[in-house]
Amino acid sequence: MKDAFEELEFNKIKALIKNFCTSNLGKKSADQLKTLTNKSEIENRISELHDTVEFLSPLPWGQKNNFNLTGLRDTEFLFPKLKHDDYFTVEEFLLFACNIKIANNLRKNEAVKKQNFPYLFSIVNNIVITAGLEKEFDRTFEPNGEIKDGASENLTRIRKKQVRFKKRIYTQLQEILSQKQYEKVIQDKIVTIREERYVIPVKAGGESIIKGFVHSRSQSGASVFLEPLSVFETNNSLINLADEEKQEIQKILIKLFLSLKKHSEILYQNLKILQKVDFLNAAAKYCISIKATVPTIQIKPIIKLTNARHPLLYLTMKEEEIVPFSLNLGNEFRSLIISGVNTGGKTVTLKALGLLSMMALSGLMIPSEEAEIGIFENFLTDINDEQSIENSISTFSSHIAKIRIILKKANEKCLVLIDELGSGTDPEEGAALAQSVLEKLVSQKAKIVITTHLNKLKLFASEHPLCENACMRFDQKNLVPTYQLDVGFPGNSYALDIAREYKLDTEVVARARKLIDQKRQQLSHLLKKTEQQRTVLMQKINEYNFKNSIVELALKSLQEKEKNWKNIEREKKLKTIQKGEEYLINLQQKFEQELSEFKTKFKKEKKIESKDVKKISTKIQKEKEKLGKQKEELSEIKLIPEKNPKINDIVLIKSLNLVGKIIRIKKSSIKIKADGIIYSTSKKDIFKIPEGQKKNQRAKNSKKFVSVHSEISYDFPFELNVIGFSFEEARPEIDKYIDKAILFDLDKVQIVHGKGTGELRKKIWNYLKSDTRISDYFSPPEQEGGIGV
């Protein structure tokens, strides 16, 4: 009997991931993939995978990152040998050599940055670099696996000596082969090897002419392979050197083995990390291939999917051909009854929501625009028809055997998926049994999805507060399924309509209609009518949404126009006030001129009417106050006096129109630091920072962050945008910006430089590295700007 993982074809997902694995290590991890019940562990796995997907995704300028795992081998079986001093073969040493190089290169990969890929970085950063071992392997082995001449000083000496002896033997044998006196007995003018000794081929009987030792004869017996006496000693020496070479190589390999043994714990740890990276690399490539997204994991056992697709349909269909579905199970209702025509997509949808849940709880991303998956401790399914000939079990009996297990195990943390509940037996009895099973499962608080053709279950779902109907949409006009899921409506099977469309005898179809009892006919008719009404309703809803969007756009446009009109009106009034101010300035200038004339007159005549001076002064002061009130009425910023100032408070100096920090308070004055300058002012001149100002708005005047009349925002802009700047243009702006941030005691700000070619980003990052004012800098997650910030 298949379990839920087999019925939902989770093993096929594993197989697809294994296809992307570089080694058996990654394939082992894929085989071990299973659902988890610890929320933080699931989220951590998903985050690691998402980081890997981001790492492998093409960069804005087209470059692609990769892990370069080519040559990765499973060496786990060799670690017991290290423990028990069971020495390796050369081939086994070479497996380690490859893995050591891959691990060291991965640890040095500068593309895996903490600020960009924190979860992936935490994995790779645990690799311990074994540079010494890598050098030792490079010193020992040639790329083809041969031991290098320079693996040790002694081996270098031995091999040089071997070359000299071989050259000497070859020269001596060539001399013999070229002598005319031996022409008649020489079979071929070649030097060959027999029994590890250099020999020449001589005709049978020729050994009496060329003195030496016969080592073998040809198959025909026409020639013998002779070692002349002149090379006998040198051949002996060469054989002795070969023995020395073997002994020296053995010493070299034993030394290398002991080095591996010394580092065995590190090497095993690195191997496990490489295994994880191989799996993540494969899983990420698979997720990219199905355009998977990150699901949100919830403690509560629910399933909420928006435009989700069955992941295995990508094997046979293009993404745009796969019809997505959406549902929300476990919030308003915990049981969903899906009905509709045969081959309409009921079973595919049933299996998809189960498989997607399994994938998410295994730490995988899933093909769904949005997804919330709750933690299910168990998946209970009855999907495939199974008959056991050996045990004489019928289809219905097989279903009952599974249902019995499901009823025994079902609880509030289980997802139950049953295909065609109540089928395979008498329809009336099957329907009664199906409803009874469903009632029991609902009482056990399980989350349930069932497919059915039984009207009894559709009626039950429509009446039960914890159940809901759903149907696979059907094109009544063309009598073809659309494979779209509609939650909230039961579906019709359309058996007789489809039979008629497929040209079944009209009398047979007509007779079948008569045989259907009246209540069922009424229900079937009601379902058809409901589906027609739903189709019309969906059209009206779409029309309403379209019209509503147009109205919203029009309303937004009117609001913008109204806002602009108010601004224009305000600006006109402000201009009028400005003209009034200009008039007052001119008036004051005239007053000062008249005052000067009065002073001159006083010096001459020693007489002046003070009331004339007071009259002009009072007139100007009244005009000033009048214009000031009008200005404040037009301003959207309302100033509130700071009655209880404290050290470190950020306040507005109204007379100077500056924002600063209080650094000292005396009885008669208050010291305020603004823009690096310390100002002294009275308590009456300081006000609270106005509320309601827009944040992150760039000030028009870098020295005046607040203007009651021009309405410049008081807030420090927490974001500096230098997109489009050259580095030479951006640097002074960045310097000023950081100065301001320090003045305002800010811990963190952000600089937006964009992605582009990456040149500006690189120069800014290098610049920040050398700036002692900066403690750390990094890029935010992709949804907040990624490497563009």
Side-chain angles (χ1 to χ4, degrees):
M1 188 178 291
K2 291 182 180 179
D3 62 14
F5 289 90
E6 289 178 289
E7 289 197 333
L8 295 175
E9 301 178 292
F10 187 66
N11 289 336
K12 287 187 178 180
I13 299 296
K14 292 183 183 181
L16 290 168
I17 293 173
K18 285 165 69 175
N19 288 338
F20 287 102
C21 289
T22 304
S23 70
N24 284 330
L25 287 167
K27 291 177 181 178
K28 280 182 183 178
S29 293
D31 281 331
Q32 292 163 3
L33 202 59
K34 62 180 181 180
T35 56
L36 305 171
T37 55
N38 184 290
K39 184 174 183 286
S40 60
E41 186 179 357
I42 297 166
E43 288 175 334
N44 188 66
R45 286 196 182 186
I46 292 172
S47 297
E48 289 173 347
L49 179 58
H50 183 239
D51 259 12
T52 312
V53 168
E54 291 293 296
F55 178 77
L56 295 175
S57 298
L59 297 169
W61 48 90
Q63 182 184 339
K64 281 187 177 182
N65 292 320
N66 66 77
F67 294 108
N68 193 13
L69 301 173
T70 305
L72 181 62
R73 295 291 182 268
D74 183 1
T75 56
E76 191 166 6
F77 72 98
L78 293 173
F79 282 88
K81 285 190 172 187
L82 280 174
K83 190 175 181 181
H84 299 104
D85 290 336
D86 187 1
Y87 295 109
F88 297 155
T89 64
V90 170
E91 290 74 19
E92 289 169 340
F93 273 113
L94 293 173
L95 294 180
F96 270 99
C98 201
N99 286 3
I100 288 168
K101 192 177 288 289
I102 290 169
N104 289 343
N105 288 339
L106 182 56
R107 178 64 179 80
K108 296 173 190 173
N109 191 336
E110 293 183 356
V112 185
K113 294 183 178 178
K114 184 177 182 179
Q115 59 267 35
N116 296 336
F117 315 105
Y119 290 90
L120 184 59
F121 176 83
S122 67
I123 296 169
V124 173
N125 197 50
N126 285 325
I127 292 175
V128 178
I129 293 177
T130 51
L133 273 177
E134 185 176 348
K135 286 179 182 176
E136 197 170 349
F137 270 98
D138 286 342
R139 189 169 57 246
T140 303
F141 292 103
E142 298 282 1
N144 63 359
E146 296 289 333
I147 305 294
K148 284 184 175 179
D149 294 348
S152 73
E153 290 183 9
N154 197 29
L155 185 62
T156 303
R157 179 190 63 78
I158 291 168
R159 286 191 172 170
K160 282 182 178 178
K161 205 169 183 180
Q162 283 176 325
V163 170
R164 289 200 306 273
F165 283 2
K166 286 176 183 177
K167 190 174 180 180
R168 186 186 303 170
I169 292 170
Y170 188 79
T171 302
Q172 289 173 336
L173 292 177
Q174 284 292 340
E175 284 179 3
I176 293 171
L177 292 173
S178 61
Q179 289 181 24
K180 288 186 178 181
Q181 59 180 324
Y182 299 133
E183 277 184 355
K184 291 183 179 179
V185 295
I186 298 298
Q187 184 70 34
D188 287 305
K189 290 186 177 183
I190 59 169
V191 176
T192 186
I193 297 174
R194 288 293 184 274
E195 298 175 1
E196 298 182 8
R197 305 179 78 86
Y198 284 87
V199 297
I200 55 175
V202 176
K203 292 177 183 177
E207 63 267 29
S208 60
I209 298 172
I210 303 175
K211 301 301 181 184
F213 301 96
V214 175
H215 288 281
S216 64
R217 297 178 181 274
S218 64
Q219 287 184 351
S220 63
S223 59
V224 296
F225 294 95
L226 181 77
E227 178 187 8
L229 285 174
S230 58
V231 296
F232 179 74
E233 288 301 327
T234 315
N235 259 334
N236 283 344
S237 298
L238 198 57
I239 288 171
N240 290 336
L241 282 172
D243 290 337
E244 282 185 53
E245 180 188 33
K246 287 177 183 176
Q247 290 173 11
E248 183 61 25
I249 287 173
Q250 190 67 16
K251 287 180 184 178
I252 292 166
L253 295 180
I254 288 172
K255 183 184 175 185
L256 187 57
F257 181 88
L258 293 175
S259 294
L260 290 174
K261 184 172 182 176
K262 182 181 176 182
H263 293 86
S264 61
E265 287 185 11
I266 291 171
L267 292 172
Y268 190 77
Q269 175 185 310
N270 286 354
L271 181 71
K272 286 295 159 185
I273 294 170
L274 291 176
Q275 179 175 4
K276 189 167 190 175
V277 171
D278 188 19
F279 167 75
L280 285 173
N281 181 54
K285 287 179 177 178
Y286 172 65
C287 287
I288 290 170
S289 73
I290 59 172
K291 296 185 179 177
T293 60
V294 173
T296 301
I297 304 301
Q298 305 285 8
I299 293 289
K300 182 182 177 183
I302 61 165
I303 300 174
K304 185 177 180 181
L305 298 168
T306 303
N307 288 333
R309 291 173 170 84
H310 194 303
L312 296 179
L313 292 180
Y314 285 82
L315 292 171
T316 55
M317 300 169 70
K318 295 178 181 178
E319 183 190 7
E320 58 271 19
E321 295 173 340
I322 304 171
V323 179
F325 67 94
S326 303
L327 61 81
N328 188 344
L329 178 68
N331 287 316
E332 295 180 9
F333 54 88
R334 59 171 176 249
S335 179
L336 187 68
I337 311 302
I338 305 176
S339 51
V341 298
N342 282 322
T343 68
K346 298 191 301 295
T347 304
V348 171
T349 303
L350 182 78
K351 293 172 93 172
L353 67 92
L355 183 55
L356 292 174
S357 300
M358 282 182 173
M359 289 173 67
L361 297 181
S362 301
L364 297 175
M365 294 161 62
I366 61 176
S368 180
E369 280 184 17
E370 292 180 10
E372 290 182 37
I373 305 295
I375 294 176
F376 293 99
E377 293 181 353
N378 207 350
F379 290 83
L380 303 171
T381 60
D382 176 23
I383 295 174
N384 294 328
D385 289 339
E386 293 181 2
Q387 294 189 49
S388 173
I389 297 172
E390 295 84 356
N391 298 320
S392 301
I393 299 177
S394 68
T395 303
F396 181 71
S397 300
S398 174
H399 280 309
I400 294 301
K402 286 185 177 180
I403 297 292
R404 179 174 57 81
I405 295 170
I406 289 171
L407 290 174
K408 186 178 180 181
K409 294 183 177 181
N411 58 42
E412 60 184 1
K413 293 187 177 180
C414 286
L415 177 62
V416 177
L417 306 172
I418 304 176
D419 193 25
E420 300 295 350
L421 178 61
S423 64
T425 188
D426 175 77
E428 193 170 336
E429 290 186 4
L433 182 62
Q435 181 174 328
S436 177
V437 169
L438 182 54
E439 287 173 353
K440 178 68 174 174
L441 290 172
V442 171
S443 70
Q444 289 173 308
K445 299 182 181 179
K447 305 302 176 290
I448 313 147
V449 182
I450 290 170
T451 68
T452 188
H453 287 287
L454 300 172
N455 290 331
K456 196 175 188 68
L457 292 186
K458 300 174 193 177
L459 290 170
F460 175 80
S462 67
E463 294 169 355
H464 198 290
L466 296 177
C467 296
E468 183 59 276
N469 273 301
C471 69
M472 303 310 298
R473 200 179 295 178
F474 187 73
D475 184 345
Q476 293 187 53
K477 184 178 178 182
N478 299 308
L479 293 178
V480 290
T482 64
Y483 307 107
Q484 293 170 303
L485 179 71
D486 277 335
V487 177
F489 301 95
N492 197 353
S493 297
Y494 293 97
L496 299 182
D497 292 320
I498 293 171
R500 186 195 67 219
E501 180 66 17
Y502 278 85
K503 311 300 181 187
L504 189 64
D505 190 292
T506 53
E507 290 183 7
V508 172
V509 175
R511 175 61 179 158
R513 289 192 190 278
K514 288 181 181 179
L515 290 173
I516 298 174
D517 62 68
Q518 190 175 0
K519 285 186 179 179
R520 289 190 63 190
Q521 276 193 356
Q522 288 173 349
L523 178 60
S524 180
H525 178 69
L526 179 62
L527 288 174
K528 282 186 187 179
K529 191 174 180 181
T530 301
E531 191 155 349
Q532 289 168 352
Q533 289 173 342
R534 178 190 52 74
T535 304
V536 172
L537 180 61
M538 289 300 294
Q539 290 173 347
K540 288 184 178 180
I541 289 172
N542 290 334
E543 287 175 12
Y544 168 78
N545 289 338
F546 177 69
K547 289 176 181 177
N548 192 48
S549 63
I550 292 173
V551 170
E552 285 179 356
L553 286 171
L555 181 61
K556 190 176 180 181
S557 177
L558 285 172
Q559 288 170 341
E560 287 291 327
K561 286 178 181 178
E562 184 183 4
K563 185 179 177 183
N564 291 337
W565 180 81
K566 285 181 179 178
N567 289 336
I568 291 167
E569 187 180 23
R570 263 181 70 253
E571 285 173 9
K572 283 182 179 179
K573 287 182 180 179
L574 284 170
K575 283 180 181 178
T576 304
I577 291 170
Q578 285 168 2
K579 286 180 181 179
E581 285 179 329
E582 289 172 7
Y583 165 73
L584 278 177
I585 291 167
N586 291 332
L587 191 64
Q588 190 163 0
Q589 287 174 348
K590 287 180 182 179
F591 168 74
E592 287 171 354
Q593 188 178 350
E594 288 181 18
L595 186 62
S596 178
E597 290 173 359
F598 285 152
K599 286 178 180 178
T600 305
K601 186 178 178 182
F602 177 77
K603 285 179 181 179
K604 287 181 179 180
E605 301 179 8
K606 304 292 182 180
K607 184 180 178 183
I608 188 169
E609 291 291 334
S610 61
K611 63 180 182 180
D612 294 333
V613 176
K614 285 182 180 179
K615 186 177 178 181
I616 296 171
S617 179
T618 303
K619 182 181 177 183
I620 291 172
Q621 187 60 36
K622 283 182 179 179
E623 289 294 328
K624 274 187 175 180
E625 287 175 1
K626 185 179 176 182
L627 287 172
K629 284 180 181 179
Q630 288 179 6
K631 257 186 171 182
E632 287 185 10
E633 285 171 5
L634 286 172
S635 174
E636 291 179 359
I637 300 174
K638 305 303 175 187
L639 295 181
I640 302 170
E642 181 57 81
K643 294 180 180 178
N644 185 28
K646 295 187 286 295
I647 300 292
N648 291 329
D649 280 358
I650 304 296
V651 294
L652 167 70
I653 309 172
K654 184 180 177 183
S655 61
L656 299 176
N657 199 26
L658 281 173
V659 165
K661 185 200 288 185
I662 297 175
I663 59 172
R664 194 178 305 157
I665 300 175
K666 292 184 177 180
K667 287 184 179 180
S668 58
S669 66
I670 293 177
K671 302 286 185 183
I672 297 174
K673 188 174 183 180
D675 281 347
I677 300 170
I678 297 174
Y679 297 89
S680 181
T681 186
S682 66
K683 186 176 178 181
K684 293 179 181 179
D685 196 26
I686 63 170
F687 289 79
K688 291 183 178 180
I689 298 297
E691 294 181 358
Q693 295 300 288
K694 294 179 181 177
K695 292 186 178 181
N696 300 329
Q697 180 181 340
R698 191 181 303 282
K700 294 179 183 175
N701 185 329
S702 63
K703 290 189 178 180
K704 294 189 177 182
F705 282 85
V706 180
S707 174
V708 175
H709 308 306
S710 61
E711 296 187 318
I712 299 170
S713 171
Y714 74 88
D715 280 341
F716 176 81
F718 294 106
E719 177 181 286
L720 175 65
N721 192 321
V722 293
I723 292 175
F725 285 43
S726 67
F727 177 66
E728 289 68 28
E729 293 168 336
R731 184 169 59 185
E733 295 297 321
I734 293 170
D735 269 340
K736 283 189 243 176
Y737 184 63
I738 292 169
D739 283 339
K740 301 282 186 189
I742 292 168
L743 175 64
F744 278 83
D745 283 341
L746 297 176
D747 294 323
K748 182 168 67 175
V749 291
Q750 64 183 29
I751 298 170
V752 180
H753 45 65
K755 298 177 181 177
T757 62
E759 190 64 27
L760 178 60
R761 172 180 182 267
K762 184 178 177 183
K763 288 183 178 179
I764 289 175
W765 282 54
N766 287 335
Y767 182 62
L768 295 178
K769 185 188 287 186
S770 62
D771 195 327
T772 56
R773 297 172 296 174
I774 309 301
S775 64
D776 192 15
Y777 55 93
F778 53 87
S779 289
E782 192 60 35
Q783 60 268 27
E784 295 175 26
I787 61 171
V789 179

